[in-house]
Amino acid sequence: MGFLLLIPFFLVRFTLLGARNREAVAKAAHFPPLGSGERPAYWVYQISTTGIVFCILILRVKTEPAALFFLGLFFYLMGLVFLAASVIDFAAPVPNGFHQNGVYRFSRNPMYIAYFVFFLGCVMLTRSLLLLGLLAVFQISAHWIILAEERWCADQFGEEYLNYRRQVPRYVWPFTG
């Protein structure tokens, strides 16, 4: 039954994004040039993502205790909503090349936050310690990818991006950067 959790995720992440803007799918899949210290993080990110998806495919949703089930369902749904919002905003064409609209006014990385919240909901729904461990590895490695993306954005967009970076947190307040 866990595999059913992934259907809405992939529909939002790929189908909604592609329906809104076909070029945005390729743009979202683009990884910036990586430094030597970031290359291992990239591979850890890819492997942990694969592990997360595989685990969710084979795990079962547990409904007891009900409080944990509903908390997991809340995080799962909030992750999907936040992912949909970030995908819609990301797909909107912008003249300057980087997104500052919608949820990008509150976080420079709303899709990564949405992934984390969504997968955390999956962890709670399945009660899997393995999935929790993979999520921790995923999140740590994603941080290194984000640092590379921010360096690339600073190089590409210059002072305009640097001003945006000073005004909008990397994740969400109080987790700034």
Side-chain angles (χ1 to χ4, degrees):
M1 183 161 127
F3 73 93
L4 294 174
L5 297 173
L6 291 172
I7 294 170
F9 176 81
F10 286 121
L11 285 174
V12 169
R13 174 62 175 82
F14 296 105
T15 306
L16 178 61
L17 184 60
R20 303 274 304 168
N21 181 343
R22 287 199 180 270
E23 286 116 34
V25 175
K27 187 177 170 186
H30 174 265
F31 281 91
L34 302 170
S36 61
E38 296 157 340
R39 283 189 192 97
Y42 168 82
W43 288 108
V44 169
Y45 176 84
Q46 295 296 346
I47 292 166
S48 63
T49 301
T50 303
I52 287 170
V53 169
F54 180 74
C55 275
I56 294 172
L57 283 172
I58 63 171
L59 290 170
R60 299 182 72 74
V61 172
K62 298 178 180 161
T63 57
E64 296 296 329
L68 191 54
F69 170 77
F70 286 112
L71 184 62
L73 187 61
F74 172 78
F75 277 94
Y76 173 83
L77 293 173
M78 289 308 299
L80 283 175
V81 167
F82 202 46
L83 180 60
S86 62
V87 160
I88 288 167
D89 292 340
F90 185 82
V94 290
N96 63 358
F98 74 91
H99 300 275
Q100 304 172 60
N101 55 320
V103 293
Y104 287 86
R105 293 175 296 157
F106 308 107
S107 169
R108 297 192 308 260
N109 299 284
M111 269 195 239
Y112 286 105
I113 294 169
Y115 298 156
F116 177 75
V117 172
F118 173 83
F119 290 138
L120 184 60
C122 291
V123 166
M124 291 180 199
L125 288 169
T126 61
R127 314 292 191 300
S128 171
L129 291 177
L130 176 59
L131 188 55
L132 178 61
L134 286 168
L135 178 57
V137 170
F138 167 85
Q139 200 59 36
I140 291 166
S141 62
H143 178 73
W144 290 100
I145 302 299
I146 288 167
L147 294 177
E149 287 177 354
E150 290 182 347
R151 187 179 58 251
W152 181 85
C153 286
D155 290 344
Q156 288 290 123
F157 305 114
E159 193 61 36
E160 189 174 6
Y161 178 77
L162 296 175
N163 288 332
Y164 169 72
R165 191 170 76 180
R166 284 189 281 275
Q167 296 171 5
V168 178
R170 178 176 292 134
Y171 301 113
V172 291
W173 183 90
F175 305 104
T176 61

